[in-house]
C-alpha cells in the first residue's frame, strides 16, 4: 500500500562499479521502499558525461548499474527503472530550472569546488549545473522522497530551493523533496584507508569494496586497512581509522560480533588481525550473492533492454504531465 502516495526518485551515475557505499547509502533503501511507494529509479548517464567517458564504455556501465541494482533486490516489476537519457522531459525541465539557478550559488557547492580542485582542466558548464540537472531528475516526477547517502544532502537542499523558486514565480507545481534513509540519519560509508573520507567509485580502489569484488580481493583490501598496536588504557577514545572499521562492521556483521569486538577494545584485549579477518569474511558473505546474480544479469542484454524500454515508457508518461503543466505555468502556450 502506498504511504500517502509520496513519490520516490533516486539515481546512480554510470561511472564505474558500485560499492558498499552505494549499497548502504542508497540501494538498500530503494529495495525497502519499493513495496510501499511509487518509485522511479534511474541510471544517471547524462551526469556521467561531465567526465567524458569513452563512448565505447557507456553501454556496459549502464548495464552494470542496472544489473547490480536488480541483484541487490530491486524488482523491475515493482519500480520504474530507466536510463536518464531516455527521458527528454528531464533536459527540458533542466533548461527551465537553469533560468532560476544563479552562478554564484552553483560555484559555492562543495562537490563543484572539489571537482575543480581535482580536475582544473575540465571545469565545464555541465559540472557547474550538475545540481540543476539533479533537481530536474527529481522534480520531473514531483517526488517528495529521495533515498541518498549523506554526501547528497546539499544537492537536495538546492533542489528544494529551485522547486520553491519555480512555485513562487509561476505557481504551485513541485513538492519540496526531502532526503530519505530508513535509519535516523543519512549514511556515510567510510573508506578503508582510514582517512575519514567516504568510499567512492573512483577514488582509491584499494580502499573501496565493490559489489563485484571476488572473495580474495575483499580479504586483501580489508587486511591492509590501517590499525595500530591497540589501546593501552581501558575505555579509551577510538582513533578515526579504528572507528571506521567498527562502522563498516556494523553494516555487515551480527550485532553480537560487533559488541564482542567493542568489549575487547574497551578492555584492551582486541586483536585487530582477528577483527579484520572477521570483517572480511562477513563482507564476503554479504557481497557474494549480489556479485553472482549481477554477473549473470549483465550478460542478459535482451532482458536488460526490455527493462529499460518499459521503464522509459512509464517514466516518460509520468514526466509528460509535469512538463505540460510547467510550460503552461511559464506561459509557453501559443496555440
Ligand atoms: P559515487 O559517489 O561512488 O560515484 P554516486 O555519486 O553515483 O556514487 O552515488 C550514488 C548513490 O550512492 C548516492 O545516493 C550517494 O549518496 C550514495 N553513496 C555513494 N558513496 C557513498 C558512501 N560512501 N556512503 C553512503 N552513500 C554513498
Ligand atoms: N548526484 C547523485 C550522486 O552523485 C546522483 C544523482 C543524479 C541523483 N540525479 C539524482 C540522486 C537524482 C538522487 C536523485 O550520487
Amino acid at each position: 500500500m502506498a504511504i500517502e502516495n509520496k513519490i520516490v526518485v533516486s539515481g546512480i551515475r554510470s561511472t564505474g562499479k558500485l560499492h558498499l557505499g552505494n549499497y548502504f547509502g542508497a540501494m538498500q533503501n530503494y529495495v525497502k521502499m519499493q513495496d510501499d511507494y511509487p518509485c522511479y529509479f534511474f541510471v544517471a548517464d547524462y551526469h556521467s558525461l561531465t567526465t567524458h567517458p569513452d563512448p565505447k564504455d557507456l553501454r556496459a556501465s549502464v548495464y552494470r548499474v542496472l544489473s547490480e541494482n536488480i541483484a541487490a533486490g530491486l524488482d523491475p516489476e515493482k519500480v520504474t527503472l530507466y536510463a536518464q537519457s531516455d527521458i527528454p522531459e528531464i533536459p527540458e525541465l533542466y533548461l527551465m530550472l537553469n533560468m532560476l539557478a544563479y552562478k554564484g550559488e552553483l560555484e559555492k557547492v562543495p562537490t563543484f569546488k572539489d571537482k575543480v580542485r581535482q580536475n582544473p582542466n575540465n571545469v565545464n558548464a555541465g559540472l557547474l549545473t550538475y545540481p540543476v540537472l539533479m533537481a530536474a531528475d527529481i522534480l520531473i516526477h514531483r517526488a517528495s522522497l529521495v533515498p541518498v547517502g549523506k554526501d547528497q544532502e546539499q544537492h537536495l537542499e538546492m533542489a528544494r530551493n529551485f522547486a520553491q523558486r519555480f512555485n513562487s514565480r509561476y505557481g504551485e507545481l513541485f513538492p519540496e523533496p526531502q532526503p530519505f534513509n530508513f535509519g535516523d540519519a543519512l549514511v556515510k560509508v567510510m573508506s578503508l584507508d582510514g582517512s575519514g573520507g567516504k568510499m567512492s567509485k573512483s577514488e582509491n580502489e584499494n580502499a573501496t569494496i565493490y559489489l563485484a569484488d571476488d572473495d580474495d580481493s575483499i580479504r586483501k583490501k580489508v587486511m591492509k586497512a590501517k590499525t595500530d598496536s591497540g589501546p593501552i588504557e581501558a575505555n579509551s577514545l577510538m582513533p578515526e581509522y579504528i572507528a571506521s572499521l567498527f562502522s563498516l562492521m556494523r553494516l555487515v556483521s551480527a550485532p553480537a560480533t560487533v559488541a564482542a569486538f567493542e568489549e575487547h577494545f574497551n578492555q584492551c584485549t582486541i586483536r585487530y588481525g582477528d577483527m579484520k579477518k572477521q570483517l572480511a569474511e562477513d563482507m564476503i558473505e554479504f557481497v557474494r550473492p549480489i556479485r553472482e546474480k549481477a554477473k549473470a544479469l549483465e550478460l542478459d542484454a535482451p532482458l536488460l533492454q526490455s527493462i529499460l524500454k518499459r521503464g522509459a515508457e512509464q517514466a516518460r508518461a509520468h514526466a509528460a504531465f509535469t512538463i505540460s503543466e510547467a510550460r503552461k505555468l511559464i506561459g509557453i502556450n501559443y496555440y
Side-chain angles (χ1 to χ4, degrees):
M1 267 286 282
I3 302 171
E4 305 161 39
N5 259 347
K6 281 188 171 169
I7 292 171
V8 176
V9 166
S10 193
I12 300 186
R13 288 181 300 156
S14 43
T15 45
K17 299 178 283 183
L18 301 190
H19 50 81
L20 291 182
N22 298 130
Y23 182 87
F24 289 103
M27 295 152 77
Q28 183 186 43
N29 288 307
Y30 302 176
V31 174
K32 286 191 191 165
M33 293 174 106
Q34 66 183 345
D35 290 313
D36 294 329
Y37 300 91
C39 292
Y40 294 86
F41 296 126
F42 65 95
V43 185
D45 54 346
Y46 274 151
H47 272 110
S48 79
L49 299 185
T50 53
T51 49
H52 308 151
D54 189 327
K56 287 198 294 296
D57 297 337
L58 211 55
R59 177 194 289 237
S61 306
V62 170
Y63 283 9
R64 178 187 279 272
V65 174
L66 207 57
S67 304
E68 292 186 326
N69 270 283
I70 298 169
L74 211 58
D75 181 351
E77 300 291 325
K78 290 184 185 162
V79 305
T80 302
L81 208 51
Y82 57 99
Q84 182 185 34
S85 60
D86 268 335
I87 319 298
E89 289 79 5
I90 294 174
E92 187 170 347
L93 182 60
Y94 165 64
L95 183 148
M96 294 169 176
L97 296 176
N98 264 324
M99 311 305 170
L100 304 173
Y102 295 98
K103 177 173 163 276
E105 66 183 337
L106 295 171
E107 281 169 343
K108 270 193 242 142
V109 177
T111 44
F112 175 70
K113 292 206 272 188
D114 286 347
K115 292 270 149 64
V116 172
R117 220 172 295 130
Q118 288 162 7
N119 221 336
N121 299 323
N122 181 28
V123 186
N124 60 62
L127 208 56
L128 182 69
T129 57
Y130 183 107
V132 189
L133 181 55
M134 176 161 166
D137 293 329
I138 297 166
L139 300 178
I140 198 68
H141 294 301
R142 282 159 285 124
S144 304
L145 300 177
V146 185
V148 282
K150 188 155 179 54
D151 58 306
Q152 297 300 311
E153 234 167 3
Q154 216 125 16
H155 288 156
L156 257 285
E157 193 184 327
M158 301 194 72
R160 287 195 293 279
N161 288 341
F162 301 145
Q164 258 169 19
R165 276 179 218 163
F166 185 100
N167 290 346
S168 62
R169 180 169 294 271
Y170 297 118
E172 209 52 44
L173 178 59
F174 300 118
E176 287 181 25
Q178 303 295 334
F180 184 86
N181 185 70
F182 267 95
D184 322 328
L186 297 184
V187 173
K188 176 180 175 186
V189 177
M190 307 304 275
S191 153
L192 273 170
D193 63 11
S195 63
K198 68 165 194 134
M199 247 184 218
S200 93
K201 288 202 204 97
S202 42
E203 284 161 50
N204 200 354
E205 294 211 356
N206 288 325
T208 299
I209 303 291
Y210 297 100
L211 299 175
D213 276 347
D214 60 34
D215 298 359
D216 251 11
S217 327
I218 297 178
R219 258 180 222 115
K220 279 194 193 119
K221 289 182 192 180
V222 174
M223 294 316 288
K224 272 200 213 127
K226 176 176 175 182
T227 55
D228 51 33
S229 49
I232 29 180
E233 253 179 69
N235 303 312
S236 48
L237 201 66
M238 271 182 203
E240 190 161 24
Y241 47 92
I242 300 296
S244 279
L245 286 182
F246 272 100
S247 75
L248 288 167
M249 196 170 219
R250 259 175 236 117
L251 298 172
V252 292
S253 303
T257 307
V258 184
F261 282 103
E262 275 170 343
E263 185 57 20
H264 277 305
F265 177 88
N266 288 331
Q267 301 305 322
C268 305
T269 50
I270 192 155
R271 288 175 12 182
Y272 289 131
D274 292 348
M275 179 182 175
K276 289 199 281 189
K277 262 186 214 148
Q278 177 76 47
L279 177 60
E281 292 317 306
D282 291 339
M283 280 184 174
I284 287 169
E285 289 309 311
F286 177 82
V287 166
R288 188 185 293 133
I290 300 179
R291 176 184 68 221
E292 286 172 359
K293 206 164 164 208
K295 218 187 270 172
L297 278 165
E298 261 177 79
L299 299 173
D300 194 346
L303 175 69
L304 298 177
Q305 286 164 357
S306 78
I307 290 170
L308 284 173
K309 269 193 195 152
R310 198 183 40 186
E313 277 163 24
Q314 290 170 357
R316 278 203 79 177
H318 196 248
F321 175 78
T322 310
I323 276 295
S324 82
E325 290 301 297
R327 290 174 74 108
K328 265 189 250 162
L329 287 170
I330 291 175
I332 304 172
N333 190 8
Y334 307 139
Y335 46 83

